[in-house]
Protein backbone atom coordinates (compact mmCIF):
# COMPACT_ATOMS: atom_id res chain seq x y z
CA UNK A 1 0.00 0.00 0.00
CA UNK A 2 1.29 3.47 -0.92
CA UNK A 3 0.22 6.42 1.16
CA UNK A 4 1.99 9.38 -0.40
CA UNK A 5 -0.53 9.58 -3.24
CA UNK A 6 -3.40 10.02 -0.75
CA UNK A 7 -4.67 13.30 0.68
CA UNK A 8 -3.36 14.75 3.95
CA UNK A 9 -6.64 13.90 5.66
CA UNK A 10 -6.59 10.30 4.43
CA UNK A 11 -3.01 9.79 5.54
CA UNK A 12 -3.85 11.35 8.91
CA UNK A 13 -6.76 8.94 9.35
CA UNK A 14 -4.51 6.00 8.44
CA UNK A 15 -2.06 7.09 11.16
CA UNK A 16 -4.84 7.41 13.74
CA UNK A 17 -6.18 3.97 12.87
CA UNK A 18 -2.71 2.54 13.33
CA UNK A 19 -2.54 1.37 9.70
CA UNK A 20 0.74 3.14 9.11
CA UNK A 21 3.36 4.89 11.23
CA UNK A 22 5.06 8.22 10.55
CA UNK A 23 8.36 6.34 10.20
CA UNK A 24 6.89 4.17 7.43
CA UNK A 25 5.53 7.27 5.71
CA UNK A 26 8.89 9.00 5.82
CA UNK A 27 10.62 5.90 4.45
CA UNK A 28 8.11 5.67 1.62
CA UNK A 29 8.61 9.33 0.73
CA UNK A 30 12.42 9.12 0.91
CA UNK A 31 12.47 6.01 -1.30
CA UNK A 32 10.32 7.82 -3.90
CA UNK A 33 12.56 10.90 -3.68
CA UNK A 34 15.52 8.69 -4.51
CA UNK A 35 13.73 7.14 -7.50
CA UNK A 36 12.52 10.51 -8.82
CA UNK A 37 13.44 10.98 -12.47
CA UNK A 38 12.12 14.52 -12.88
CA UNK A 39 15.06 16.34 -11.24
CA UNK A 40 12.84 17.52 -8.39
CA UNK A 41 15.41 17.70 -5.61
CA UNK A 42 18.39 19.73 -4.51
CA UNK A 43 18.86 17.69 -1.37
CA UNK A 44 17.12 14.66 0.12
CA UNK A 45 17.03 15.01 3.91
CA UNK A 46 17.19 11.30 4.68
CA UNK A 47 19.25 11.41 7.86
CA UNK A 48 17.55 14.56 9.15
CA UNK A 49 14.02 13.28 8.44
CA UNK A 50 14.64 9.93 10.11
CA UNK A 51 16.07 11.67 13.17
CA UNK A 52 13.09 13.98 13.38
CA UNK A 53 10.43 11.30 12.89
CA UNK A 54 11.94 9.24 15.66
CA UNK A 55 11.64 12.22 17.99
CA UNK A 56 7.94 12.91 17.25
CA UNK A 57 5.85 13.22 20.39
CA UNK A 58 2.97 10.69 20.01
CA UNK A 59 0.73 12.81 22.24
CA UNK A 60 0.61 15.34 19.35
CA UNK A 61 -0.85 12.89 16.86
CA UNK A 62 -4.15 14.73 16.56
CA UNK A 63 -2.41 17.46 14.58
CA UNK A 64 -3.41 16.90 10.96
CA UNK A 65 0.19 17.27 9.76
CA UNK A 66 1.62 14.92 12.40
CA UNK A 67 4.04 12.55 10.66
CA UNK A 68 3.20 13.86 7.19
CA UNK A 69 6.18 14.20 4.82
CA UNK A 70 6.62 17.55 3.07
CA UNK A 71 8.99 18.95 0.45
CA UNK A 72 10.25 22.53 0.82
CA UNK A 73 11.54 24.80 -1.95
CA UNK A 74 15.25 25.45 -1.71
CA UNK A 75 14.81 29.16 -1.01
CA UNK A 76 13.56 28.53 2.55
CA UNK A 77 16.31 28.49 5.16
CA UNK A 78 16.54 25.13 6.88
CA UNK A 79 18.87 24.88 9.88
CA UNK A 80 21.82 22.56 9.26
CA UNK A 81 20.42 21.57 5.84
CA UNK A 82 21.97 22.97 2.63
CA UNK A 83 19.91 25.77 1.05
CA UNK A 84 21.09 27.04 -2.32
CA UNK A 85 18.15 28.75 -4.05
CA UNK A 86 19.29 26.54 -6.96
CA UNK A 87 22.12 29.02 -7.55
CA UNK A 88 25.84 28.33 -7.79
CA UNK A 89 26.41 31.44 -5.71
CA UNK A 90 25.05 29.54 -2.69
CA UNK A 91 26.57 26.12 -3.32
CA UNK A 92 27.22 24.41 0.02
CA UNK A 93 25.59 27.20 2.04
CA UNK A 94 24.11 25.77 5.24
CA UNK A 95 21.85 28.15 7.20
CA UNK A 96 22.15 28.42 10.96
CA UNK A 97 18.42 28.98 11.46
CA UNK A 98 15.13 27.77 9.97
CA UNK A 99 12.49 29.85 8.26
CA UNK A 100 9.26 30.43 10.19
CA UNK A 101 7.34 28.31 7.66
CA UNK A 102 9.61 25.33 8.35
CA UNK A 103 9.41 25.90 12.12
CA UNK A 104 5.59 25.92 12.00
CA UNK A 105 5.50 22.77 9.85
CA UNK A 106 7.84 21.03 12.27
CA UNK A 107 5.82 22.19 15.27
CA UNK A 108 2.73 20.65 13.67
CA UNK A 109 4.64 17.37 13.26
CA UNK A 110 5.29 17.51 9.50
CA UNK A 111 8.62 16.04 8.37
CA UNK A 112 10.73 17.82 5.75
CA UNK A 113 12.01 15.03 3.49
CA UNK A 114 13.65 17.07 0.73
CA UNK A 115 14.57 20.51 -0.56
CA UNK A 116 13.27 21.04 -4.09
CA UNK A 117 14.76 22.42 -7.28
CA UNK A 118 13.65 25.83 -8.51
CA UNK A 119 14.43 28.46 -11.12
CA UNK A 120 17.57 30.15 -9.89
CA UNK A 121 16.76 32.42 -6.90
CA UNK A 122 13.03 32.12 -7.81
CA UNK A 123 13.48 34.28 -10.90
CA UNK A 124 11.85 32.67 -13.90
CA UNK A 125 8.80 30.67 -14.81
CA UNK A 126 10.10 27.69 -16.74
CA UNK A 127 11.71 25.31 -14.24
CA UNK A 128 14.77 25.17 -16.47
CA UNK A 129 17.16 27.75 -15.02
CA UNK A 130 18.30 26.27 -11.69
CA UNK A 131 21.90 25.12 -11.35
CA UNK A 132 20.83 21.46 -11.60
CA UNK A 133 19.17 22.01 -14.98
CA UNK A 134 15.67 21.23 -16.22
CA UNK A 135 12.96 19.92 -13.88
CA UNK A 136 10.48 17.73 -15.77
CA UNK A 137 6.71 17.50 -15.68
CA UNK A 138 5.55 14.10 -14.34
CA UNK A 139 2.45 14.30 -16.56
CA UNK A 140 4.61 14.34 -19.67
CA UNK A 141 6.26 10.96 -20.18
CA UNK A 142 8.13 12.29 -23.24
CA UNK A 143 9.89 14.87 -21.05
CA UNK A 144 9.49 17.54 -23.70
CA UNK A 145 7.13 19.90 -21.87
CA UNK A 146 7.74 22.28 -18.98
CA UNK A 147 6.42 21.90 -15.48
CA UNK A 148 6.83 25.66 -15.10
CA UNK A 149 8.45 27.54 -12.30
CA UNK A 150 9.92 28.88 -10.35
CA UNK A 151 8.64 26.32 -7.80
CA UNK A 152 9.24 23.44 -10.23
CA UNK A 153 10.55 20.71 -7.91
CA UNK A 154 7.87 21.41 -5.30
CA UNK A 155 5.22 20.98 -8.02
CA UNK A 156 6.71 17.84 -9.57
CA UNK A 157 7.10 16.08 -6.22
CA UNK A 158 3.40 16.51 -5.35
CA UNK A 159 2.23 15.77 -8.92
CA UNK A 160 4.27 12.55 -8.94
CA UNK A 161 2.82 11.39 -5.62
CA UNK A 162 6.11 11.62 -3.70
CA UNK A 163 4.55 13.78 -0.96
CA UNK A 164 0.97 15.02 -0.41
CA UNK A 165 1.98 18.69 -0.16
CA UNK A 166 4.93 20.97 -0.68
CA UNK A 167 5.99 24.54 -0.04
CA UNK A 168 6.86 26.97 -2.83
CA UNK A 169 7.01 30.74 -3.18
CA UNK A 170 5.08 33.02 -5.50
CA UNK A 171 6.31 36.48 -6.55
CA UNK A 172 4.56 36.67 -9.94
CA UNK A 173 2.84 33.28 -10.33
CA UNK A 174 5.56 30.80 -9.34
CA UNK A 175 3.20 28.42 -7.56
CA UNK A 176 -0.02 29.15 -9.41
CA UNK A 177 1.45 28.60 -12.89
CA UNK A 178 3.22 25.28 -12.27
CA UNK A 179 0.06 24.16 -10.41
CA UNK A 180 -1.84 24.74 -13.64
CA UNK A 181 0.68 22.68 -15.63
CA UNK A 182 0.63 19.75 -13.20
CA UNK A 183 -3.02 19.35 -12.09
CA UNK A 184 -2.42 20.66 -8.58
CA UNK A 185 -4.01 23.13 -6.21
CA UNK A 186 -1.56 26.01 -5.75
CA UNK A 187 -2.51 28.60 -3.14
CA UNK A 188 -0.94 31.98 -2.50
CA UNK A 189 -2.67 33.53 0.53
CA UNK A 190 -2.68 37.30 1.14
CA UNK A 191 0.54 39.28 1.51
CA UNK A 192 1.20 39.34 5.26
CA UNK A 193 -0.87 36.24 6.07
CA UNK A 194 2.13 33.88 6.31
CA UNK A 195 5.52 34.89 7.70
CA UNK A 196 8.34 35.21 5.18
CA UNK A 197 11.05 35.10 7.82
CA UNK A 198 13.82 32.93 6.40
CA UNK A 199 12.47 32.93 2.83
CA UNK A 200 15.21 34.28 0.54
CA UNK A 201 13.85 37.62 -0.60
CA UNK A 202 13.42 38.05 -4.36
CA UNK A 203 11.10 41.08 -4.62
CA UNK A 204 9.93 41.91 -1.12
CA UNK A 205 6.81 43.86 -2.04
CA UNK A 206 5.60 40.96 -4.24
CA UNK A 207 6.97 37.82 -2.51
CA UNK A 208 4.42 35.46 -0.96
CA UNK A 209 4.66 32.11 0.76
CA UNK A 210 2.57 29.68 -1.32
CA UNK A 211 2.17 25.93 -1.52
CA UNK A 212 0.88 22.91 -3.46
CA UNK A 213 -1.68 20.29 -2.45
CA UNK A 214 -3.81 17.89 -4.49
CA UNK A 215 -7.17 19.17 -3.24
CA UNK A 216 -8.79 22.25 -1.72
CA UNK A 217 -9.43 20.72 1.74
CA UNK A 218 -5.73 20.01 2.16
CA UNK A 219 -4.96 23.57 1.13
CA UNK A 220 -7.12 24.85 4.02
CA UNK A 221 -5.49 22.39 6.42
CA UNK A 222 -2.00 23.64 5.52
CA UNK A 223 -3.07 27.28 5.87
CA UNK A 224 -4.33 26.58 9.39
CA UNK A 225 -0.76 25.64 10.29
CA UNK A 226 1.10 28.38 8.41
CA UNK A 227 -1.07 31.49 8.89
CA UNK A 228 -0.53 34.02 11.63
CA UNK A 229 1.53 36.86 13.01
CA UNK A 230 5.26 36.39 13.42
CA UNK A 231 7.24 39.10 15.19
CA UNK A 232 10.31 38.16 13.18
CA UNK A 233 8.66 39.41 9.97
CA UNK A 234 7.67 43.09 10.15
CA UNK A 235 5.33 42.65 7.16
CA UNK A 236 3.37 39.86 8.84
CA UNK A 237 -0.20 40.83 9.67
CA UNK A 238 -1.77 41.16 13.12
CA UNK A 239 -5.16 40.20 11.67
CA UNK A 240 -6.54 37.25 13.62
CA UNK A 241 -6.42 33.91 11.82
CA UNK A 242 -9.51 31.85 11.11
CA UNK A 243 -10.20 28.15 10.96
CA UNK A 244 -9.76 27.96 7.19
CA UNK A 245 -11.60 24.63 6.95
CA UNK A 246 -14.76 26.04 8.55
CA UNK A 247 -16.43 27.52 5.45
CA UNK A 248 -15.38 24.88 2.93
CA UNK A 249 -18.87 23.57 2.39
CA UNK A 250 -20.55 26.94 2.05
CA UNK A 251 -22.90 27.11 -0.97
CA UNK A 252 -21.95 29.40 -3.84
CA UNK A 253 -25.53 30.60 -4.29
CA UNK A 254 -25.70 34.38 -4.50
CA UNK A 255 -21.95 34.84 -4.62
CA UNK A 256 -20.66 37.14 -7.33
CA UNK A 257 -17.79 36.07 -9.55
CA UNK A 258 -16.18 38.31 -12.17
CA UNK A 259 -14.61 36.87 -15.32
CA UNK A 260 -12.17 39.27 -16.98
CA UNK A 261 -13.37 39.44 -20.57
CA UNK A 262 -10.07 40.55 -22.11
CA UNK A 263 -8.12 37.72 -20.46
CA UNK A 264 -10.52 35.02 -21.63
CA UNK A 265 -10.75 36.55 -25.11
CA UNK A 266 -6.97 36.48 -25.49
CA UNK A 267 -7.00 32.67 -25.16
CA UNK A 268 -7.41 30.57 -28.29
CA UNK A 269 -6.90 27.05 -26.90
CA UNK A 270 -10.20 25.23 -27.50
CA UNK A 271 -9.87 22.69 -24.67
CA UNK A 272 -9.28 25.48 -22.14
CA UNK A 273 -12.16 27.62 -23.40
CA UNK A 274 -14.55 24.67 -23.34
CA UNK A 275 -13.58 23.46 -19.87
CA UNK A 276 -13.76 27.00 -18.49
CA UNK A 277 -17.20 27.65 -19.98
CA UNK A 278 -18.48 24.33 -18.71
CA UNK A 279 -17.26 25.16 -15.25
CA UNK A 280 -18.92 28.59 -15.36
CA UNK A 281 -22.19 26.95 -16.36
CA UNK A 282 -21.92 24.60 -13.37
CA UNK A 283 -21.31 27.54 -11.02
CA UNK A 284 -24.32 29.38 -12.42
CA UNK A 285 -26.49 26.29 -12.03
CA UNK A 286 -25.69 26.38 -8.34
CA UNK A 287 -26.81 29.97 -8.10
CA UNK A 288 -23.54 31.86 -8.46
CA UNK A 289 -23.74 35.15 -10.30
CA UNK A 290 -20.95 34.95 -12.86
CA UNK A 291 -20.47 38.02 -15.03
CA UNK A 292 -17.97 39.23 -17.61
CA UNK A 293 -16.16 42.37 -16.52
CA UNK A 294 -13.82 44.53 -18.61
CA UNK A 295 -10.41 45.93 -17.81
CA UNK A 296 -8.61 48.21 -20.25
CA UNK A 297 -6.31 45.85 -22.16
CA UNK A 298 -3.55 48.48 -22.06
CA UNK A 299 -3.55 48.01 -18.29
CA UNK A 300 -3.57 44.21 -18.62
CA UNK A 301 -0.66 44.37 -21.07
CA UNK A 302 1.21 46.57 -18.59
CA UNK A 303 1.11 43.91 -15.84
CA UNK A 304 4.15 41.98 -17.04
CA UNK A 305 6.47 44.89 -17.85
CA UNK A 306 5.47 46.54 -14.54
CA UNK A 307 6.14 43.30 -12.71
CA UNK A 308 9.52 42.89 -14.41
CA UNK A 309 10.65 46.42 -13.57
CA UNK A 310 9.61 46.32 -9.93
CA UNK A 311 10.79 42.76 -9.32
CA UNK A 312 14.15 43.30 -11.03
CA UNK A 313 14.76 46.51 -9.10
CA UNK A 314 13.90 44.90 -5.76
CA UNK A 315 15.86 41.74 -6.52
CA UNK A 316 18.96 43.71 -7.54
CA UNK A 317 18.89 45.37 -4.16
CA UNK A 318 17.87 42.27 -2.14
CA UNK A 319 20.53 40.06 -3.68
CA UNK A 320 23.37 42.55 -3.16
CA UNK A 321 24.32 40.46 -0.11
CA UNK A 322 25.33 37.52 -2.34
CA UNK A 323 28.84 38.80 -2.82
CA UNK A 324 31.18 35.94 -1.90
CA UNK A 325 32.02 37.68 1.38
CA UNK A 326 29.06 36.83 3.61
CA UNK A 327 27.76 33.52 2.23
CA UNK A 328 28.61 30.71 -0.12
CA UNK A 329 31.68 30.05 -2.26
CA UNK A 330 34.30 32.79 -2.69
CA UNK A 331 36.32 33.36 -5.86
CA UNK A 332 39.89 34.67 -5.48
CA UNK A 333 40.72 38.37 -6.04
CA UNK A 334 43.23 41.03 -5.02
CA UNK A 335 40.66 43.31 -3.39
CA UNK A 336 37.19 42.78 -2.02
CA UNK A 337 35.78 44.50 -5.13
CA UNK A 338 37.58 41.95 -7.27
CA UNK A 339 36.41 39.06 -5.06
CA UNK A 340 32.81 40.27 -5.40
CA UNK A 341 33.08 40.76 -9.15
CA UNK A 342 34.63 37.34 -9.72
CA UNK A 343 32.21 35.58 -7.38
CA UNK A 344 29.12 37.21 -8.86
CA UNK A 345 30.33 36.72 -12.44
CA UNK A 346 30.80 33.03 -11.86
CA UNK A 347 27.93 32.48 -9.41
CA UNK A 348 24.94 33.85 -11.35
CA UNK A 349 23.52 32.56 -14.63
CA UNK A 350 22.74 34.81 -17.60
CA UNK A 351 19.09 35.16 -16.63
CA UNK A 352 19.97 36.53 -13.20
CA UNK A 353 22.59 38.88 -14.62
CA UNK A 354 20.12 40.17 -17.20
CA UNK A 355 17.59 40.88 -14.46
CA UNK A 356 20.18 42.69 -12.33
CA UNK A 357 21.10 44.81 -15.34
CA UNK A 358 17.43 45.75 -15.78
CA UNK A 359 17.10 46.40 -12.03
CA UNK A 360 20.30 48.42 -11.77
CA UNK A 361 19.42 50.45 -14.85
CA UNK A 362 15.94 51.31 -13.58
CA UNK A 363 17.33 52.35 -10.21
CA UNK A 364 19.99 54.72 -11.60
CA UNK A 365 19.15 58.19 -10.35
CA UNK A 366 18.73 59.56 -13.89
CA UNK A 367 16.38 56.70 -14.88
CA UNK A 368 14.37 56.29 -11.70
CA UNK A 369 11.50 58.61 -12.58
CA UNK A 370 11.15 57.23 -16.07
CA UNK A 371 11.33 53.56 -15.06
CA UNK A 372 11.09 52.57 -11.40
CA UNK A 373 8.75 55.33 -10.20
CA UNK A 374 6.64 54.99 -13.35
CA UNK A 375 6.32 51.26 -12.74
CA UNK A 376 5.13 51.98 -9.19
CA UNK A 377 2.46 54.31 -10.59
CA UNK A 378 1.40 51.63 -13.07
CA UNK A 379 1.18 49.13 -10.25
CA UNK A 380 -1.18 51.44 -8.40
CA UNK A 381 -3.42 51.80 -11.49
CA UNK A 382 -3.46 48.01 -11.99
CA UNK A 383 -4.30 47.32 -8.35
CA UNK A 384 -6.97 50.03 -8.32
CA UNK A 385 -8.66 48.44 -11.34
CA UNK A 386 -8.80 45.02 -9.68
CA UNK A 387 -9.83 46.48 -6.31
CA UNK A 388 -12.71 48.21 -8.04
CA UNK A 389 -13.93 44.87 -9.38
CA UNK A 390 -13.52 43.23 -5.98
CA UNK A 391 -15.69 45.94 -4.42
CA UNK A 392 -18.62 44.43 -6.35
CA UNK A 393 -17.59 40.79 -6.63
CA UNK A 394 -16.48 38.08 -4.20
CA UNK A 395 -13.81 36.79 -6.56
CA UNK A 396 -12.24 36.99 -10.01
CA UNK A 397 -12.06 33.78 -12.02
CA UNK A 398 -10.09 33.12 -15.24
CA UNK A 399 -8.04 30.33 -16.81
CA UNK A 400 -4.61 30.23 -15.14
CA UNK A 401 -2.71 30.03 -18.42
CA UNK A 402 -3.44 30.31 -22.15
CA UNK A 403 -2.23 26.75 -22.85
CA UNK A 404 -1.31 23.53 -21.08
CA UNK A 405 2.43 23.13 -20.37
CA UNK A 406 4.46 24.54 -23.29
CA UNK A 407 7.40 22.79 -24.93
CA UNK A 408 10.71 23.02 -23.12
CA UNK A 409 12.43 23.82 -26.40
CA UNK A 410 10.34 26.94 -27.00
CA UNK A 411 10.62 28.33 -23.49
CA UNK A 412 12.03 31.74 -22.67
CA UNK A 413 11.37 34.45 -20.15
CA UNK A 414 11.55 37.31 -22.59
CA UNK A 415 8.54 39.48 -23.38
CA UNK A 416 6.15 38.02 -25.93
CA UNK A 417 3.32 40.07 -27.34
CA UNK A 418 1.29 37.02 -28.21
CA UNK A 419 0.72 35.85 -24.66
CA UNK A 420 1.36 39.06 -22.81
CA UNK A 421 -2.10 39.12 -21.26
CA UNK A 422 -3.19 35.56 -20.49
CA UNK A 423 0.31 34.26 -19.75
CA UNK A 424 1.28 36.89 -17.22
CA UNK A 425 -1.79 38.46 -15.69
CA UNK A 426 -1.69 36.51 -12.42
CA UNK A 427 1.01 38.86 -11.08
CA UNK A 428 -1.80 41.34 -10.37
CA UNK A 429 -2.55 39.28 -7.25
CA UNK A 430 1.04 39.78 -6.06
CA UNK A 431 0.82 43.52 -6.75
CA UNK A 432 -2.36 43.81 -4.67
CA UNK A 433 -1.50 41.13 -2.11
CA UNK A 434 -4.74 39.28 -2.96
CA UNK A 435 -5.30 35.63 -1.98
CA UNK A 436 -5.19 33.62 -5.20
CA UNK A 437 -5.59 29.94 -5.91
CA UNK A 438 -5.07 27.80 -9.01
CA UNK A 439 -6.87 24.48 -9.31
CA UNK A 440 -7.31 21.82 -12.01
CA UNK A 441 -9.78 22.61 -14.78
CA UNK A 442 -9.13 20.01 -17.47
CA UNK A 443 -6.73 18.28 -19.82
CA UNK A 444 -5.52 19.12 -23.30
CA UNK A 445 -4.54 15.67 -24.49
CA UNK A 446 -2.39 14.25 -21.70
CA UNK A 447 -1.47 17.60 -20.22
CA UNK A 448 -3.44 19.40 -17.52
CA UNK A 449 -4.44 23.04 -17.22
CA UNK A 450 -5.99 25.01 -14.37
CA UNK A 451 -8.28 27.87 -13.47
CA UNK A 452 -7.34 30.73 -11.17
CA UNK A 453 -9.55 32.33 -8.55
CA UNK A 454 -8.57 35.52 -6.72
CA UNK A 455 -10.35 37.23 -3.85
CA UNK A 456 -10.18 40.22 -1.51
CA UNK A 457 -7.20 40.63 0.82
CA UNK A 458 -7.50 38.30 3.84
CA UNK A 459 -10.63 36.61 2.51
CA UNK A 460 -8.85 33.25 2.35
CA UNK A 461 -11.93 31.45 3.67
CA UNK A 462 -14.15 32.96 0.99
CA UNK A 463 -11.70 32.02 -1.77
CA UNK A 464 -11.34 28.47 -0.51
CA UNK A 465 -15.10 28.01 -0.29
CA UNK A 466 -15.63 29.01 -3.94
CA UNK A 467 -12.60 26.91 -4.95
CA UNK A 468 -14.23 23.92 -3.33
CA UNK A 469 -17.38 24.42 -5.42
CA UNK A 470 -15.22 24.63 -8.57
CA UNK A 471 -13.41 21.45 -7.54
CA UNK A 472 -16.68 19.61 -6.95
CA UNK A 473 -17.93 20.72 -10.36
CA UNK A 474 -14.84 19.57 -12.27
CA UNK A 475 -14.42 16.44 -10.17
CA UNK A 476 -10.68 16.96 -10.65
CA UNK A 477 -8.94 16.36 -7.33
CA UNK A 478 -6.31 14.08 -5.81
CA UNK A 479 -4.67 13.67 -9.21
CA UNK A 480 -1.33 11.90 -9.33
CA UNK A 481 0.56 11.82 -12.60
CA UNK A 482 1.82 8.28 -12.49
CA UNK A 483 -1.63 6.88 -12.20
CA UNK A 484 -2.92 8.92 -15.14
CA UNK A 485 -6.12 10.95 -14.99
N1 LIG B 1 7.62 33.90 -13.84
C1 LIG B 1 7.83 35.03 -12.97
C2 LIG B 1 9.26 35.50 -13.13
O1 LIG B 1 9.84 35.16 -14.09
C3 LIG B 1 7.45 34.66 -11.58
C4 LIG B 1 8.53 34.28 -10.64
C5 LIG B 1 8.02 34.03 -9.25
O2 LIG B 1 6.84 34.11 -8.94
N2 LIG B 1 8.96 33.76 -8.33
O3 LIG B 1 9.82 36.21 -12.36
Amino acid sequence: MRYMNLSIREIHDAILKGEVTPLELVKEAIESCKKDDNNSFEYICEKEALERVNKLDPSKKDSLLFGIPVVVKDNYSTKDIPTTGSSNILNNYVPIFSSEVVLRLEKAGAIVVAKSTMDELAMGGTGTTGHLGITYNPWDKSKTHLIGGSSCGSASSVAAGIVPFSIGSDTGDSVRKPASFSALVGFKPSWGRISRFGLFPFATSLDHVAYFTRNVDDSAIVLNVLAGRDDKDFSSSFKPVEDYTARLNEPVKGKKIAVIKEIVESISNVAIKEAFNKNITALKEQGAIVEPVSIDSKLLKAIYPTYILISCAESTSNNANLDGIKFGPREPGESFEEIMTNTRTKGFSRLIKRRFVIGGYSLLRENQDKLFVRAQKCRRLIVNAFNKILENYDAIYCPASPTAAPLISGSSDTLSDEYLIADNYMAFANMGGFPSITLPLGFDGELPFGGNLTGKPFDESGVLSIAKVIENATGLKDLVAKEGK
Side-chain angles (χ1 to χ4, degrees):
M1 169 81 187
R2 290 196 72 241
Y3 288 90
M4 288 301 102
N5 48 9
L6 303 180
S7 68
I8 293 175
R9 206 176 274 280
E10 285 166 336
I11 303 171
H12 173 70
D13 289 345
I15 296 179
L16 289 189
K17 281 193 209 133
E19 261 176 49
V20 66
T21 66
L23 178 62
E24 285 162 349
L25 294 173
V26 166
K27 283 186 176 163
E28 181 190 321
I30 298 273
E31 281 321 303
S32 317
C33 287
K34 287 183 183 164
K35 285 193 208 130
D36 168 64
D37 62 354
N38 293 310
N39 190 29
S40 306
F41 304 114
E42 283 285 339
Y43 181 84
I44 300 175
C45 315
E46 183 168 16
K47 186 171 76 57
E48 299 83 351
L50 290 173
E51 257 172 41
R52 185 163 289 280
V53 77
N54 283 322
K55 281 196 208 134
L56 277 181
D57 173 358
S59 70
K60 305 241 166 80
K61 70 175 189 308
D62 286 337
S63 156
L64 282 162
L65 295 190
F66 178 85
I68 309 276
V70 56
V71 161
V72 175
K73 189 174 178 178
D74 207 32
N75 55 351
Y76 285 83
S77 294
T78 37
K79 187 174 187 292
D80 299 331
I81 293 175
T83 305
T84 66
S86 290
S87 178
N88 284 330
I89 204 141
L90 284 170
N91 280 339
N92 303 321
Y93 166 61
V94 181
I96 54 167
F97 66 95
S98 281
S99 51
E100 180 66 13
V101 161
V102 166
L103 292 176
R104 288 190 187 210
L105 288 171
E106 288 176 347
K107 195 165 164 229
I111 310 284
V112 178
V113 291
K115 299 296 294 290
S116 58
T117 48
M118 51 189 278
D119 279 307
E120 185 173 354
L121 299 170
M123 290 180 230
T126 59
T128 62
T129 70
H131 63 177
L132 298 185
I134 301 171
T135 297
Y136 295 99
N137 190 332
W139 288 96
D140 171 29
K141 303 300 174 221
S142 68
K143 295 204 180 328
T144 52
H145 293 80
L146 299 173
I147 177 124
S150 63
S151 309
C152 46
S154 291
S156 55
S157 52
V158 179
I162 295 174
V163 283
F165 79 111
S166 66
I167 307 294
S169 63
D170 190 312
T171 303
D173 57 17
S174 270
V175 160
R176 292 166 294 147
K177 199 57 141 341
S180 175
F181 295 156
S182 58
L184 296 176
V185 175
F187 192 23
K188 175 196 86 56
S190 308
W191 197 84
R193 188 62 300 175
I194 302 179
S195 166
R196 302 177 298 169
F197 176 78
L199 165 64
F200 293 175
F202 159 15
T204 322
S205 75
L206 300 162
D207 291 343
H208 291 67
V209 172
Y211 53 88
F212 299 95
T213 58
R214 290 189 292 256
N215 65 58
V216 173
D217 284 75
D218 282 359
S219 197
I221 289 172
V222 174
L223 187 56
N224 275 353
V225 168
L226 297 182
R229 168 71 192 170
D230 170 23
D231 286 339
K232 300 193 290 309
D233 174 1
F234 80 94
S235 62
S236 121
S237 172
F238 287 96
K239 250 195 181 11
V241 295
E242 295 162 34
D243 173 2
Y244 296 100
T245 60
R247 288 174 51 199
L248 280 175
N249 294 320
E250 201 169 84
V252 79
K253 192 169 180 329
K255 292 199 184 168
K256 290 184 74 188
I257 300 168
V259 171
I260 311 294
K261 207 166 133 257
E262 290 71 14
I263 294 174
V264 177
E265 279 173 1
S266 75
I267 297 174
S268 50
N269 182 299
V270 179
I272 294 184
K273 276 181 173 285
E274 277 180 13
F276 186 68
N277 289 336
K278 197 172 150 208
N279 197 236
I280 296 291
T281 307
L283 291 172
K284 285 184 179 164
E285 274 166 12
Q286 293 181 54
I289 301 152
V290 187
E291 292 171 344
V293 174
S294 257
I295 290 196
D296 185 348
S297 51
K298 266 201 232 132
L299 216 48
L300 292 170
K301 281 192 179 157
I303 292 177
Y304 193 56
T306 303
Y307 164 80
I308 283 292
L309 265 174
I310 293 176
S311 68
C312 288
E314 291 187 19
S315 85
T316 304
S317 147
N318 277 329
N319 287 298
N321 62 350
L322 301 178
D323 53 13
I325 310 284
K326 305 180 194 72
F327 317 92
R330 179 178 303 172
E331 289 301 313
E334 293 301 316
S335 59
F336 72 85
E337 282 94 343
E338 223 179 274
I339 293 175
M340 283 188 198
T341 307
N342 293 343
T343 305
R344 286 172 71 90
T345 302
K346 203 162 163 199
F348 296 125
S349 70
R350 278 180 65 86
L351 180 143
I352 302 295
K353 285 174 192 156
R354 185 156 36 95
R355 292 201 180 194
F356 288 167
V357 169
I358 297 171
Y361 188 76
S362 71
L363 288 174
L364 275 179
R365 188 180 312 136
E366 54 270 42
N367 298 337
Q368 255 188 39
D369 273 347
K370 231 185 321 174
L371 295 170
F372 187 59
V373 175
R374 196 157 154 220
Q376 308 271 30
K377 289 183 183 161
C378 261
R379 175 181 184 164
R380 176 43 56 203
L381 294 177
I382 293 163
V383 173
N384 283 352
F386 283 95
N387 267 333
K388 208 163 149 222
I389 295 175
L390 287 166
E391 275 172 20
N392 294 315
Y393 291 86
D394 296 290
I396 295 168
Y397 186 38
C398 289
S401 57
T403 58
L407 283 169
I408 293 172
S409 56
S411 74
S412 96
D413 85 324
T414 48
L415 292 177
S416 139
D417 251 352
E418 195 185 348
Y419 283 135
L420 210 48
I421 293 187
D423 222 0
N424 297 297
Y425 79 91
M426 287 195 292
F428 87 84
N430 302 72
M431 295 182 182
F434 307 123
S436 181
I437 192 165
T438 291
L439 65 169
L441 191 58
F443 284 81
D444 187 5
E446 293 300 303
L447 296 175
F449 55 81
N452 178 262
L453 185 79
T454 300
K456 304 181 216 294
F458 295 97
D459 186 23
E460 276 72 20
S461 293
V463 168
L464 287 164
S465 78
I466 300 175
K468 179 84 191 255
V469 176
I470 294 174
E471 180 180 82
N472 286 339
T474 62
L476 297 174
K477 61 186 269 199
D478 300 326
L479 302 172
V480 174
K482 273 186 191 134
E483 297 177 345
K485 339 173 198 164

